[in-house]
Amino acid sequence: MADNSIQENRLSLARASLRQTLARYSHLRQGKKNSDNTELEAALQNQLDILTSTSEKLDHNVIRIATFGLVSRGKSAVLNALLGQKILQTGPLNGVTQWPRSVRWTIPYLPVAEDREKIQVELIDTPGLDEVGGEVRGEMAKQVTRQSDLILFVVAGDITRTEYQALCELQTAQKPLILVFNKIDLYPELDRKAIYQSLQALGNSEQLAADSVTDATDSENLSDRPNNPSHKSTAKSPAKTAKSLEIVMVAAEPAPVQIRVEWSDGRITNEWESPPAQIDELKHTILTILNREGRSLLALNALVEARDAEANIARQVLKLRQAEAEDLIWQFAKYKALAVGLNPVAFLDVMGATVADLALIRSLSRLYGLPMTGYEAGKLWQTIFSSAGGVLLGELGSSFLLGFGKSAAVAAPQIGFSTFAGVAVTQASLAAYGTYAVGRAAQVYLEKGCTWGPLGQDTVIQEILATIERNTIIDRLQQEFKI
């Protein structure tokens, strides 16, 4: 179990990261229109709203647990059993739950240190994934999944093809998932054990599939982010584990059973009685997760959600500023070409070209509203140079050699002005092309927002994952956080 102070430090890091992000985009939240493209403006505002709500959720220590499953699997009944009272509507008809509904779960025996804020838990009930209006329900499910910290996937027997597809999609959300086998009271003991073993085998196959996908994408994910400490991290990927799904058996709303009642006057009657819910195992599993790593889950899920939102914001801003960015890149290319072409001193060409590229990167970051220090711009330039080394190294090398040619032409007038001019034009052309290449590469990296900078989401996620305890849900999930 993680020490409470360690978990609280992780929460503090996550809060600081989100506050920095919100401050960075404060100019976009003032309601000022950036363009006539209302569709892009709406998309941008939506991502800003996600960032704001995620920060508020983090500040209030709210952990959200969402239920998913097909119709008539007993999702609402499972939540009612956890709550200890029938708050959510249930019934024999399919589709009783039409829209997501959240209910606060008060857990008096959830321990908390005196100097720490208590974790608040919200249970979210959702409609069946296979109900009418699939596209609307699908989008609704994505939104609920994004906001959730823990997922309960409810089945009521052997898993169907539709349930399997839904389960696979939910597992891509990078959230811990408990597979809840409900209505066990309807099955004889042998059948119940056989279904449980079948679900365990499903969990094993799901883990193997996830491992193969992760192995194929690890290097790609790492190479996508510049100036990211994960490039240098020595943290090892977690060992492969066969148990990727927590599987819990419950009977949330057992079917009534007929009992024989013998009265004092000698009468004998048969009456129907509803047995108590068999929910203790699920409640114990959830509380164990919350006590052991609840705050860490809250911090990581908030960071992942904010990372995706910031990347989306950066993409929208790039679209809004596309024309201005193109003009800026070409302007720098022209001025750099003139400066390099007319300058007669060789080493000043190379130095001036590098300074111009750094200035271009910082100008682009300001245009996009992504603040960047000179040091960060230098690190980004190094990353661009290393990833496109052949082009830029060729430009620098050629510029240096051509610069010596110009210097020789100036020092020896007999060589002639035409030679100087020819070398200058060639060098200027190479310089302009190099600047354009740097500008385009910088756009690609800036499109990721500042998730890779100091207190950026990727940086903080990596710091947290590097200290995660072994044999926890996060330990098993950390290879899926895509950093």
Side-chain angles (χ1 to χ4, degrees):
M1 180 184 298
D3 184 82
N4 279 335
S5 61
I6 296 177
Q7 291 207 65
E8 197 65 32
N9 287 338
R10 293 166 182 165
L11 268 181
S12 299
L13 273 175
R15 291 189 185 110
S17 177
L18 264 71
R19 286 169 185 156
Q20 174 183 274
T21 301
L22 286 171
R24 180 183 305 129
Y25 295 112
S26 59
H27 65 289
L28 296 177
R29 294 190 294 160
Q30 294 173 355
K32 183 179 178 180
K33 294 293 182 181
N34 294 294
S35 78
D36 295 328
N37 193 327
T38 55
E39 184 177 348
L40 280 177
E41 288 283 354
L44 181 59
Q45 188 58 49
N46 179 55
Q47 298 302 320
L48 290 170
D49 291 342
I50 290 175
L51 273 179
T52 302
S53 64
T54 302
S55 180
E56 291 174 352
K57 174 175 174 285
L58 199 57
D59 287 339
H60 291 91
N61 288 346
V62 178
I63 289 182
R64 294 193 174 112
I65 303 175
T67 59
F68 290 95
L70 305 192
V71 295
S72 299
R73 296 314 192 254
K75 300 182 296 297
S76 302
V78 167
L79 296 187
N80 284 335
L82 288 173
L83 292 166
Q85 53 185 318
K86 191 170 182 178
I87 294 178
L88 300 166
Q89 184 180 1
T90 62
L93 298 178
N94 289 346
V96 172
T97 303
Q98 296 294 319
W99 302 98
R101 181 183 175 186
S102 63
V103 181
R104 184 62 56 87
W105 185 20
T106 302
I107 314 176
Y109 39 91
L110 184 63
V112 61
E114 292 183 1
D115 59 337
R116 308 295 183 197
E117 290 187 39
K118 187 174 182 179
I119 288 291
Q120 302 182 60
V121 181
E122 283 186 8
L123 303 177
I124 304 177
D125 193 17
T126 64
L129 295 171
D130 55 339
E131 290 187 49
V132 179
E135 291 186 6
V136 175
R137 300 297 167 95
E139 185 59 34
M140 187 189 306
K142 288 181 181 179
Q143 292 180 8
V144 173
T145 303
R146 175 179 55 76
Q147 298 169 1
S148 302
D149 302 290
L150 177 64
I151 294 173
L152 308 180
F153 191 82
V154 183
V155 298
D158 275 325
I159 198 165
T160 67
R161 180 179 295 274
T162 303
E163 285 174 322
Y164 178 77
Q165 292 172 344
L167 182 60
C168 289
E169 186 171 349
L170 283 172
Q171 284 191 309
T172 65
Q174 306 167 4
K175 304 294 176 75
L177 189 148
I178 299 175
L179 187 60
V180 181
F181 175 16
N182 189 24
K183 302 187 180 182
I184 59 172
D185 57 300
L186 302 181
Y187 296 91
E189 182 67 23
L190 288 178
D191 291 348
R192 186 189 308 173
K193 288 183 177 179
I195 293 173
Y196 182 81
Q197 291 171 355
S198 175
L199 294 175
Q200 281 185 316
L202 172 70
N204 295 348
S205 64
E206 283 297 300
Q207 177 65 35
L208 292 175
D211 288 344
S212 63
V213 171
T214 302
D215 290 340
T217 57
D218 275 347
S219 58
E220 177 183 338
N221 292 332
L222 286 174
S223 63
D224 279 346
R225 291 182 172 87
N227 196 21
N228 190 328
S230 62
H231 287 288
K232 302 177 182 179
S233 172
T234 57
K236 302 294 183 183
S237 297
K240 306 302 186 209
T241 172
K243 187 179 179 185
S244 65
L245 292 177
E246 295 277 352
I247 304 173
V248 178
M249 295 193 294
V250 303
E253 197 173 40
V257 295
Q258 194 175 45
I259 60 173
R260 175 180 169 142
V261 180
E262 297 182 1
W263 299 90
S264 58
D265 59 3
R267 289 182 302 115
I268 298 177
T269 60
N270 292 318
E271 297 183 4
W272 291 94
E273 182 177 286
S274 296
Q278 301 175 39
I279 200 70
D280 288 344
E281 184 182 352
L282 177 60
K283 187 178 294 185
H284 174 74
T285 300
I286 293 174
L287 292 179
T288 299
I289 293 172
L290 295 183
N291 289 330
R292 183 179 60 192
E293 48 193 318
R295 286 174 169 79
S296 300
L297 272 175
L298 177 58
L300 283 170
N301 285 328
L303 288 166
V304 169
E305 189 174 357
R307 178 186 70 186
D308 295 342
E310 182 165 10
N312 288 332
I313 288 173
R315 281 192 288 271
Q316 301 302 334
V317 171
L318 257 67
K319 290 180 181 178
L320 290 172
R321 308 288 195 199
Q322 184 62 35
E324 298 171 69
E326 288 289 338
D327 290 342
L328 182 65
I329 291 173
W330 281 115
Q331 188 177 21
F332 266 85
K334 288 187 294 184
Y335 289 148
K336 178 181 172 182
L338 285 173
V340 170
L342 296 176
N343 176 59
V345 183
F347 73 91
L348 291 180
D349 290 343
V350 177
M351 184 183 300
T354 303
V355 171
D357 290 342
L358 293 174
L360 171 60
I361 292 173
R362 294 196 66 182
S363 297
L364 283 172
S365 70
R366 284 194 295 268
L367 175 65
Y368 296 140
L370 304 172
M372 181 178 292
T373 65
Y375 174 76
E376 292 169 344
K379 296 292 289 184
L380 178 54
W381 185 87
Q382 291 177 19
T383 303
I384 294 172
F385 186 88
S386 62
S387 60
V391 175
L392 297 181
L393 184 61
E395 184 226 331
L396 286 178
S398 300
S399 180
F400 194 72
L401 292 175
L402 291 171
F404 271 115
K406 285 192 306 180
S407 299
V410 171
Q414 65 272 19
I415 295 179
F417 176 76
S418 59
T419 302
F420 177 88
V423 172
V425 169
T426 303
Q427 190 182 24
S429 301
L430 287 172
Y433 177 76
T435 295
Y436 182 78
V438 168
R440 297 298 293 177
Q443 283 183 299
V444 172
Y445 286 120
L446 290 171
E447 186 176 350
K448 302 180 186 303
C450 288
T451 62
W452 38 265
L455 273 183
Q457 287 84 43
D458 278 335
T459 305
V460 178
I461 288 173
Q462 178 63 34
E463 289 182 23
I464 293 176
L465 291 181
T467 60
I468 285 296
E469 300 75 17
R470 302 294 295 174
N471 300 318
T472 61
I473 280 187
I474 297 177
D475 180 46
R476 297 202 301 270
L477 279 175
Q478 68 170 302
Q479 57 186 312
E480 297 179 20
F481 278 97
K482 297 180 180 178
I483 53 173

